[in-house]
Amino acid sequence: MMLTHYIVKQKTELVTGEFDGFGKLCTRVIEGNMPLLVDLTPNKVLIESINYYGNNLKGAIEGAKSILGNIHLCPFMVCQELDICLFPHKSSVHHDCIWFNHEHVLNTRSQGRYTIVELRNGNSLKLKTRQASFNSKKQKAGDLRRILTERVLSGGNLDYVASKQYGICKETGKLVFDGSLIKNKQ
């Protein structure tokens, strides 16, 4: 059975492209040990999922890049409140790009030019990519999750020291940033 739509959730382990029997690009989703086939492209599933949680893909990527720097193959948060962070194993222009949910990647090991990725569901995947390359992408996703969590837990407070004093001018009621402009009437 093919689903007509799908929203990425915490238990989503990965999202990738797969052609159906008619040659149409669809989306294969793994939720635990349950493989699902969705009658939408992976990009459409990602866009609809992010929109569902009140965000958009462009903004999610721009936000991640503002935190991590202008990196290639940037991870992004599908939903920060649910801590759902996806990262691609290669460029999403490739139909077989796999978007991994960072939380579900337990371990990796090298096998020549391949990487074995062990998932939380007990299954593993063999990818044609070097372990260092995969782990770098996984690390960036972990950095994004950590930084955003720290920002939320700090209440959004930035540590800064005010460099100038300011006050309110008694005559005008306006803010002034030069103490010499504040007149005290005694």
Side-chain angles (χ1 to χ4, degrees), residues 5-126:
H5 71 279
Y6 179 82
I7 299 299
V8 172
K9 28 182 120 34
Q10 287 175 307
K11 61 185 177 177
T12 304
E13 297 206 356
L14 63 85
V15 174
T16 189
E18 181 177 310
F19 291 102
D20 69 7
F22 301 102
K24 179 182 177 190
L25 181 60
C26 298
T27 300
R28 175 64 67 187
V29 175
I30 304 296
E31 260 191 25
N33 285 316
M34 185 182 315
L36 306 168
L37 192 60
V38 185
D39 193 19
L40 297 170
T41 66
N43 196 48
K44 187 71 172 163
V45 168
L46 295 177
I47 289 169
E48 287 186 0
S49 295
I50 293 172
N51 290 348
Y52 177 81
Y53 294 113
N55 298 306
N56 68 66
L57 183 58
K58 183 179 180 192
I61 292 172
E62 286 177 2
K65 285 186 174 191
S66 75
I67 293 169
L68 299 172
N70 193 18
I71 62 171
H72 185 60
L73 304 178
C74 192
F76 61 86
M77 297 301 292
V78 173
C79 179
Q80 185 176 340
E81 292 78 9
L82 296 176
D83 195 27
I84 303 170
C85 181
L86 299 183
F87 68 96
H89 92 288
K90 64 180 176 181
S91 174
S92 62
V93 300
H94 300 284
H95 75 275
D96 59 344
C97 168
I98 301 173
W99 289 91
F100 288 93
N101 184 340
H102 181 265
E103 181 179 358
H104 292 280
V105 178
L106 294 182
N107 196 19
T108 63
R109 62 181 191 278
S110 179
Q111 192 175 73
R113 292 183 174 205
Y114 293 86
T115 299
I116 308 300
V117 179
E118 298 173 4
L119 300 173
R120 185 173 301 280
N121 66 7
N123 294 325
S124 60
L125 296 165
K126 185 176 182 178

